[in-house]
Amino acid sequence: MKNYAIILAGGMGLRMGSVVPKCSLKLTEKSILEETISVFENSELVDDIIVVVPELENISKSHKKNLKYVLGGATRGQSIINAITTIEDEDAHLIIHDGVRPLLAPDVVQKGLQELANYDVVKTVEKSHNDIISFEKVITREQYRILSSPDFTTLSYARKLLPFLEKDNCITMAAFHTFSNPKISYVESNKENIKITFPEDLVLAKLYLRK
């Protein structure tokens, strides 16, 4: 089966405090989105790339790999639907990634696809340095993980989730709503795979790239 990378870049990034859409901000000589696309363009595991954007104007046309742009929806779930419905294959592997995570390591993609051979959904997670409290008990950092990106699933399984993705922004929650016992596994993210949300995240991402 072919491996499709779906990059969700439809958000405006209001928390960044910029009039420019977050994915369009410069990280190097490239924008955040262009750096994220490069992760999958440089991967031998990825066959095609679908980028979900807020508008189809003023987008870069120079790419090394099969790539198409799709208009995003009002929610993350709807944006995933818009991307999935453009794929005509009977089945495929899907790598669904945040457009503002340009520092994803190649081995995370490899491990996620390997896990997908035995599971319906594979989530990328990261360890926390802190314990948390739920107002009733303390949950230590060894007892939980923080959700990261990408998500891995198959096209055939994602199609079963389509009615639920309209209501949910998360592949995992849609899976739980659809099936009583979906097979879900987890792979650990590289620590540099941060989500660029606030101005300080942009500074940190630039430091990681220089390093």
Side-chain angles (χ1 to χ4, degrees), residues 13 45 110 163 185 191:
L45 297 174
Q110 182 180 20
S185 183
K191 68 177 183 179

Side-chain angles (χ1 to χ4, degrees), residues 107-127:
D107 67 312
V108 178
V109 177
Q110 182 180 20
K111 291 174 183 176
L113 290 172
Q114 288 173 344
E115 282 289 287
L116 193 56
N118 299 307
Y119 293 90
D120 301 316
V121 177
V122 178
K123 299 288 293 184
T124 303
V125 297
E126 58 185 86
K127 291 182 178 179

Side-chain angles (χ1 to χ4, degrees), residues 17-31:
S18 172
V19 296
V20 179
K22 184 167 54 177
C23 281
S24 299
L25 293 173
K26 289 291 184 180
L27 188 56
T28 56
E29 69 279 359
K30 297 179 180 179
S31 68

Side-chain angles (χ1 to χ4, degrees), residues 97-158:
H97 191 54
D98 293 332
V100 290
R101 291 184 185 267
L103 297 166
L104 176 67
D107 67 312
V108 178
V109 177
Q110 182 180 20
K111 291 174 183 176
L113 290 172
Q114 288 173 344
E115 282 289 287
L116 193 56
N118 299 307
Y119 293 90
D120 301 316
V121 177
V122 178
K123 299 288 293 184
T124 303
V125 297
E126 58 185 86
K127 291 182 178 179
S128 174
H129 300 296
N130 302 304
D131 300 338
I132 59 175
I133 189 167
S134 66
F135 301 108
E136 295 180 357
K137 63 177 181 178
V138 172
I139 304 172
T140 70
R141 59 184 178 272
E142 296 304 324
Q143 294 177 293
Y144 75 97
R145 292 293 183 267
I146 299 170
L147 290 175
S148 184
S149 175
D151 295 333
F152 301 83
T153 190
T154 60
L155 179 61
S156 57
Y157 193 79

